């Protein structure tokens, strides 16, 4: 159900979420939380709080409040008004990864900033999850015994972004027991990635398929015996 700020019932359903957020802070009431959502102090008349409970307030405020709750407190919103705060498709995929992903076989290989010379294979020096710095070059190394078709994705702030891993910016490529690094150039040499802008936690997902078939990300995820999901959590720090 899409939120309609002109619908008084929808506006009314936002108040319990506002009240629950206020209950988490002993120094705030619902109207203080509303000010936080708006980004400034609202001027309001008598019985404004009572009117909010009834859904009798401006549609522009309702639209901004719903957007703020969606961006910052969606889980709480779903507790009180599940229809107005549907679970994002990306959340379903995140839950799928938590249940079905393979961890420990996907690692970073880091490169010197000035060349493609190998600095270290993290398989030998660190835990599977790793840290990189802005501007640091890296590839993925996937442990496998047989040939696999692979594709890769980066997850940042809940958004999935495909990563070209094949020659000529192709989305997919093939790895073998001997050639386990991606991305690669047409001649098979590593073609390192680099994160230039976004600090903080990232997830990288490499899909390894025996058949070359990959899921449709517009549908609900399902497990497959011919498809492996390899996940690596990486912290990106300033250079």
């Amino acid at each position: 159900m899409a939120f309609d700020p002109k619908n008084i019932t929808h506006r009314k359903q936002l108040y319990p979420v506002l009240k629950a957020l206020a209950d988490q802070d002993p120094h705030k009431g619902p109207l203080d939380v509303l000010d936080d959502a708006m980004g400034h102090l609202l001027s309001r008349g008598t019985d404004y709080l009572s009117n909010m409970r009834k859904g009798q307030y401006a549609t522009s405020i309702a639209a901004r409040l719903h957007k703020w709750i969606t961006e910052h407190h969606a889980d709480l919103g779903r507790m009180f008004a599940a229809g107005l705060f549907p679970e994002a498709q990306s959340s379903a995929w995140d839950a799928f990864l938590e249940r079905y992903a393979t961890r420990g076989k996907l690692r970073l290989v880091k490169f010197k900033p000035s060349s493609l010379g190998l600095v270290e294979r993290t398989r030998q020096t660190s835990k599977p999850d790793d840290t990189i710095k802005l501007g640091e070059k890296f590839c993925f190394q996937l442990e496998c015994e047989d040939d696999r078709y692979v594709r890769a994705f980066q997850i940042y702030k809940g958004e999935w972004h495909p990563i070209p891993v094949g020659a000529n910016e192709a989305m997919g490529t093939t790895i073998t027991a001997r050639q386990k690094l991606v991305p690669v150039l047409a001649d098979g040499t590593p073609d390192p990635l680099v994160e230039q802008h976004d600090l903080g936690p990232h997830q990288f997902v490499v899909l390894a398929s025996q058949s070359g078939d990959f899921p449709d990300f517009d549908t609900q995820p399902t497990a497959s015996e011919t498809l492996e999901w390899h996940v690596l959590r990486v912290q990106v720090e300033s250079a």
Side-chain angles (χ1 to χ4, degrees):
M1 178 195 310
F3 176 73
D4 181 2
K6 296 180 181 180
N7 186 317
I8 190 170
T9 301
H10 287 190
R11 297 199 301 270
K12 185 177 179 180
Q13 287 178 291
L14 296 183
Y15 177 78
V17 185
L18 206 64
K19 177 66 165 57
L21 288 169
D23 289 344
Q24 295 177 1
D25 189 332
H27 303 293
K28 288 185 177 181
L31 295 182
D32 297 313
V33 178
L34 180 63
D35 289 340
D36 292 343
M38 297 300 105
H40 59 84
L41 297 179
L42 287 176
S43 59
R44 39 187 170 253
T46 307
D47 294 330
Y48 194 91
L49 188 62
S50 177
N51 290 334
M52 280 207 74
R53 293 193 190 99
K54 301 172 185 177
Q56 298 172 351
Y57 58 100
T59 58
S60 59
I61 291 176
R64 292 179 63 183
L65 177 58
H66 179 266
K67 182 176 185 293
W68 182 78
I69 294 172
T70 299
E71 292 177 350
H72 300 282
H73 304 284
D75 289 342
L76 191 62
R78 281 190 283 273
M79 290 177 60
F80 292 90
L84 302 185
F85 301 94
E87 186 174 19
Q89 187 71 17
S90 60
S91 297
W93 283 98
D94 291 342
F96 177 83
L97 289 181
E98 285 298 320
R99 180 174 181 181
Y100 292 105
T102 298
R103 303 183 187 277
K105 291 188 176 182
L106 179 64
R107 300 172 177 87
L108 292 188
V109 175
K110 302 177 184 179
F111 295 83
K112 294 178 181 178
S114 60
S115 71
L116 297 186
L118 188 62
V119 173
E120 62 178 354
R121 291 178 183 265
T122 56
R123 171 173 57 85
Q124 301 168 341
T125 60
S126 65
K127 298 178 181 179
D129 289 351
D130 215 323
T131 301
I132 58 174
K133 296 184 181 299
L134 288 179
E136 184 173 15
K137 297 178 180 180
F138 65 94
C139 283
F140 301 116
Q141 180 188 41
L142 181 61
E143 295 296 331
C144 64
E145 297 180 357
D146 303 309
D147 294 359
R148 291 287 189 275
Y149 302 94
V150 297
R151 289 187 181 177
F153 295 85
Q154 179 181 21
I155 307 174
Y156 182 66
K157 292 186 175 179
E159 296 292 328
W160 288 60
H161 305 278
I163 303 173
V165 292
N168 302 316
E169 297 295 306
M171 298 311 300
T173 190
T174 303
I175 62 171
T176 68
R178 296 182 62 184
Q179 169 53 45
K180 303 177 182 180
L181 297 180
V182 291
V184 293
L185 298 172
D187 62 2
T189 58
D191 187 18
L193 300 163
V194 62
E195 175 57 59
Q196 298 279 30
H197 305 290
D198 297 317
L199 296 170
H202 295 241
Q203 281 195 96
F204 293 99
V205 182
V206 174
L207 280 63
S209 171
Q210 298 177 22
S211 63
D213 295 327
F214 294 93
D216 180 355
F217 283 87
D218 291 329
T219 63
Q220 289 293 318
T222 57
S224 169
E225 293 182 357
T226 62
L227 184 66
E228 298 173 353
W229 301 72
H230 298 272
V231 177
L232 187 69
R233 291 188 175 96
V234 175
Q235 182 74 16
V236 180
E237 300 179 345
S238 57

